[in-house]
Amino acid sequence: MSDPIIAVDHVTRSVTDSTGTLTILYDIDFSLQRRESTAIVGASGSGKSTLLAIIAGLDHPSSGTVRIDGEDVFALNEDERAGLRARKLGFVFQSFQLLSHLSALENVMLPLELLGRSDARDRAAAVLQRVGLGERLKHYPRTLSGGEQQRVALARAFVVEPAVLLADEPTGSLDHATGERVMSLMFDLNREHGTTLVLVTHDRAIAARCDRQLLIEAGRLVTAG
């Protein structure tokens, strides 16, 4: 078996305030292979989103570490972690996180421009066409439906052809039918690009479409099948 694309090595996350110490994650340990799709499932407050943030290097573990494509995320400084995210990771959020002052095309161009890609406009337009928004390139987020905004977010995530796509409740703010269409598109793009998908979801039907499910209960990994 090849080296894992993601290796989470005995990660614990605790926070301390005037009331004492709260442990959010306890000794989480697993690895994911390239092209694998994995759902992180569990009740609200179980630590799913915290785990996703640590995988992305957006939050720090209290102990343990994470490796992305062999790189120790927390051996890097903040600028180096940002560079790693730009090169290797794509993100899709429940709240879309589009920039309101940029058009759909400009939102998707942005990560390519940050990487210095000279083909940013053509590449962004092609991916928006792929997600069915070829006629909406000049539209701003406020003029797009929730489903259209999430498709722009998908295009932005996939346009750099990331090794890993991290998605945090990507259909949580969409109605069921729109959510189904967005998820089908996400899985189609995942297969086409050979991306490793890590998906936080409450929806067991969505989780069942993934290759693996990681069940988190009260901060502990109880199922890694």
Side-chain angles (χ1 to χ4, degrees), residues 10 13 16 24 52-53 60 76 92 108 118-119 160 164 177 192 205-206 209 211 213 216 218 224:
H10 297 288
R13 179 69 170 103
T16 301
I24 302 169
L52 201 71
H60 284 68
L76 305 175
V92 180
V108 179
S118 61
D119 61 344
V160 297
V164 176
E192 289 171 16
I206 291 173
R209 297 175 65 176
D211 299 323
Q213 295 184 39
I216 307 289

Side-chain angles (χ1 to χ4, degrees), residues 96-212:
F96 316 136
Q97 300 285 355
L98 301 178
L99 296 177
S100 61
H101 64 286
L102 299 182
S103 67
L105 179 63
E106 290 165 340
N107 265 283
V108 179
M109 287 172 60
L110 184 59
L112 293 171
E113 291 176 329
L114 293 174
L115 291 172
R117 291 275 295 266
S118 61
D119 61 344
R121 180 172 294 273
D122 290 345
R123 177 65 185 154
V127 178
L128 282 165
Q129 183 74 41
R130 172 65 184 82
V131 301
L133 293 174
E135 303 301 315
R136 309 285 270 170
L137 302 184
K138 296 181 180 179
H139 287 68
Y140 289 84
R142 66 180 180 275
T143 68
L144 300 173
S145 70
E148 288 172 332
Q149 289 184 63
Q150 194 58 298
R151 282 187 280 156
V152 174
L154 273 180
R156 182 183 59 189
F158 277 103
V159 74
V160 297
E161 299 185 348
V164 176
L165 178 69
L166 304 175
D168 193 359
E169 298 284 2
T171 62
S173 59
L174 305 177
D175 64 75
H176 179 74
T178 303
E180 282 288 306
R181 289 195 294 272
V182 167
M183 286 309 307
S184 292
L185 180 59
M186 180 180 291
F187 281 109
D188 287 346
L189 290 168
N190 190 58
R191 285 190 295 270
E192 289 171 16
H193 290 269
T195 305
T196 299
L197 173 64
V198 185
L199 170 69
V200 165
T201 183
H202 286 96
D203 190 323
R204 294 295 180 136
I206 291 173
R209 297 175 65 176
C210 293
D211 299 323
R212 291 177 63 187

Side-chain angles (χ1 to χ4, degrees), residues 15-149:
V15 294
T16 301
D17 61 18
S18 59
T19 63
T21 298
L22 172 66
T23 300
I24 302 169
L25 296 171
Y26 296 84
D27 195 36
I28 304 294
D29 192 79
F30 65 89
S31 61
L32 302 177
Q33 297 301 315
R34 298 173 194 279
R35 298 177 175 266
E36 199 167 27
S37 60
T38 300
I40 302 174
V41 298
S44 294
S46 60
K48 304 185 304 297
S49 293
T50 298
L51 176 57
L52 201 71
I54 289 173
I55 291 172
L58 296 170
D59 194 2
H60 284 68
S62 303
S63 61
T65 194
V66 174
R67 288 179 172 80
I68 302 292
D69 203 12
E71 290 192 73
D72 184 339
V73 174
F74 299 104
L76 305 175
N77 64 35
E78 189 54 50
D79 287 344
E80 290 168 338
R81 279 196 296 275
L84 175 66
R85 285 191 290 269
R87 297 190 312 274
K88 299 289 179 83
L89 303 181
F91 299 89
V92 180
F93 302 96
Q94 178 178 339
S95 56
F96 316 136
Q97 300 285 355
L98 301 178
L99 296 177
S100 61
H101 64 286
L102 299 182
S103 67
L105 179 63
E106 290 165 340
N107 265 283
V108 179
M109 287 172 60
L110 184 59
L112 293 171
E113 291 176 329
L114 293 174
L115 291 172
R117 291 275 295 266
S118 61
D119 61 344
R121 180 172 294 273
D122 290 345
R123 177 65 185 154
V127 178
L128 282 165
Q129 183 74 41
R130 172 65 184 82
V131 301
L133 293 174
E135 303 301 315
R136 309 285 270 170
L137 302 184
K138 296 181 180 179
H139 287 68
Y140 289 84
R142 66 180 180 275
T143 68
L144 300 173
S145 70
E148 288 172 332
Q149 289 184 63

